[in-house]
Amino acid sequence: MRSLPPFINKQEIVNLCKEYEGFVRVAFSLQDQHRFLRRCWVTFNRDVNIKDICWKLNKIRLRDSELNPVVNRDLTRRVRAVSGISQHASCARNDLRNIARLIVHLDAKWKLWENVKAKGEEEGGDKEVKENPWLKNISDYLVDETSAEEEELLGANGEKKTEESEKEEDSAAVAITRDDELIKVLDRLLYYLRIVHSVDYYNASEYFCEDEMPNRCGIVHARGPIPPNMLTKKNIDEFQKRFSQKLALILNFKEKLNEEEAKKTWS
């Protein structure tokens, strides 16, 4: 149902649709900011005649409003690829930092591990969990290692880079290096973020009320194959910059606006 008015609530749709055999659940989208309309998905078992149910619902008016149901097609591609530049070790390490921040924030927001800690204390303290065990020893992979002392002794840092040398460095070919151990840790946290918090990191999206949708954990974005052509440092930097801008929406943890910010938002 693509455009339900705001005065029709979820329970009314549930009461209407549960009269039909095979009914499972109902999901509502967030309200459209301009028209205040919402989309609605009603899930039935696969063995029912869904077109027949749609036809019957088409004849019904709820609060003097037509429902206009249509059949929702199955997802065409559940796994979608992003640029293989994300395989590069520096990109993967930056992603790991972002994901760790997201997990810490979302775990705290939903108080996931506070309940486990409280339960451990009630049972004598042996099972107390102070933090998310998925983040254990993650700091080993978040810190970069450099040869700063060696460069200083060799005088590499003493020389100021000219504009010309910086351009040469940006245009120099860079081989994509993959750190398999780092990727293994990253993937484990990507799964946690996607399944537990419904956040599709590589698409920079949080899927609200996904547990009520027809396809739970329906779409996920993953790293694509390493590009066959040689890339430059500038290519990698531009990819990271664009992706960071895309991530800004889910990495902005501010939930309340002050008066001045609210005025700017609604002006």
Side-chain angles (χ1 to χ4, degrees):
M1 303 175 193
R2 290 175 286 189
S3 55
L4 285 182
F7 51 78
I8 294 178
N9 61 51
K10 183 178 177 181
Q11 191 58 49
E12 288 175 311
I13 299 295
V14 170
N15 292 339
L16 176 66
C17 295
K18 71 181 181 181
E19 299 296 325
Y20 298 95
E21 186 180 352
F23 170 75
V24 178
R25 58 181 174 267
V26 170
F28 269 36
S29 69
L30 298 176
Q31 284 190 342
D32 184 289
Q33 292 183 0
H34 303 291
R35 298 185 298 160
F36 297 101
L37 298 176
R38 295 156 300 166
R39 304 181 81 179
C40 170
W41 293 265
V42 182
T43 305
F44 289 86
N45 291 328
R46 287 190 175 270
D47 56 358
V48 303
N49 187 339
I50 193 64
K51 290 187 177 180
D52 182 57
I53 294 173
C54 270
W55 177 250
K56 290 175 181 176
L57 289 172
N58 259 312
K59 300 176 182 178
I60 297 173
R61 294 176 69 87
L62 188 60
R63 293 209 192 182
D64 205 33
S65 296
E66 293 182 350
L67 299 176
N68 296 321
V70 295
V71 176
N72 185 48
R73 291 196 188 98
D74 280 336
L75 297 171
T76 53
R77 286 188 300 133
R78 299 194 72 162
V79 180
R80 305 177 184 220
V82 298
S83 172
I85 298 176
S86 53
Q87 303 255 23
H88 192 46
S90 63
C91 296
R93 184 169 286 106
N94 190 53
D95 290 336
L96 188 61
R97 291 192 191 101
N98 290 333
I99 290 169
R101 284 181 59 208
L102 265 172
I103 290 176
V104 169
H105 169 72
L106 292 171
D107 283 353
K109 178 181 178 181
W110 299 109
K111 301 180 181 179
L112 290 190
W113 299 99
E114 287 183 16
N115 294 334
V116 177
K117 181 179 178 181
K119 185 178 179 182
E121 290 171 349
E122 289 172 7
E123 296 176 359
D126 293 337
K127 296 182 180 179
E128 182 178 347
V129 178
K130 293 182 179 178
E131 60 181 19
N132 188 335
W134 291 73
L135 298 175
K136 188 177 180 181
N137 298 327
I138 195 174
S139 58
D140 296 345
Y141 303 93
L142 296 178
V143 180
D144 292 323
E145 294 182 0
T146 63
S147 304
E149 182 183 6
E150 184 179 347
E151 290 173 355
E152 181 66 28
L153 293 172
L154 293 173
N157 281 349
E159 299 176 3
K160 290 185 178 179
K161 292 182 180 179
T162 63
E163 187 177 339
E164 187 176 339
S165 64
E166 286 180 354
K167 286 182 179 179
E168 288 177 0
E169 185 179 333
D170 285 344
S171 60
V174 176
I176 298 293
T177 57
R178 177 187 162 97
D179 185 332
D180 289 334
E181 191 175 351
L182 174 63
I183 290 292
K184 184 178 178 180
V185 175
L186 175 63
D187 284 344
R188 186 178 63 188
L189 295 182
L190 281 167
Y191 281 126
Y192 178 87
L193 199 60
R194 183 68 190 87
I195 295 168
V196 177
H197 292 298
S198 293
V199 173
D200 190 355
Y201 176 76
Y202 286 122
N203 195 37
S205 300
E206 181 176 2
Y207 303 131
F208 297 97
C209 302
E210 190 180 33
D211 58 322
E212 298 175 343
M213 294 291 284
N215 294 287
R216 291 170 171 169
C217 202
I219 292 176
V220 63
H221 287 71
R223 295 179 302 275
I226 294 175
N229 55 312
M230 291 297 290
L231 301 170
T232 64
K233 181 179 180 295
K234 187 177 181 181
N235 294 144
I236 295 172
D237 289 343
E238 286 178 351
F239 168 78
Q240 284 190 296
K241 183 180 178 182
R242 288 196 304 270
F243 190 52
S244 295
Q245 291 171 346
K246 190 176 179 181
L247 285 173
L249 185 62
I250 61 173
L251 287 175
N252 181 10
F253 302 144
K254 194 166 186 178
E255 296 181 357
K256 292 184 178 180
L257 303 177
N258 58 38
E259 189 175 343
E260 185 177 341
E261 290 171 330
K263 287 178 180 178
K264 287 181 180 178
T265 303
W266 292 103
S267 59

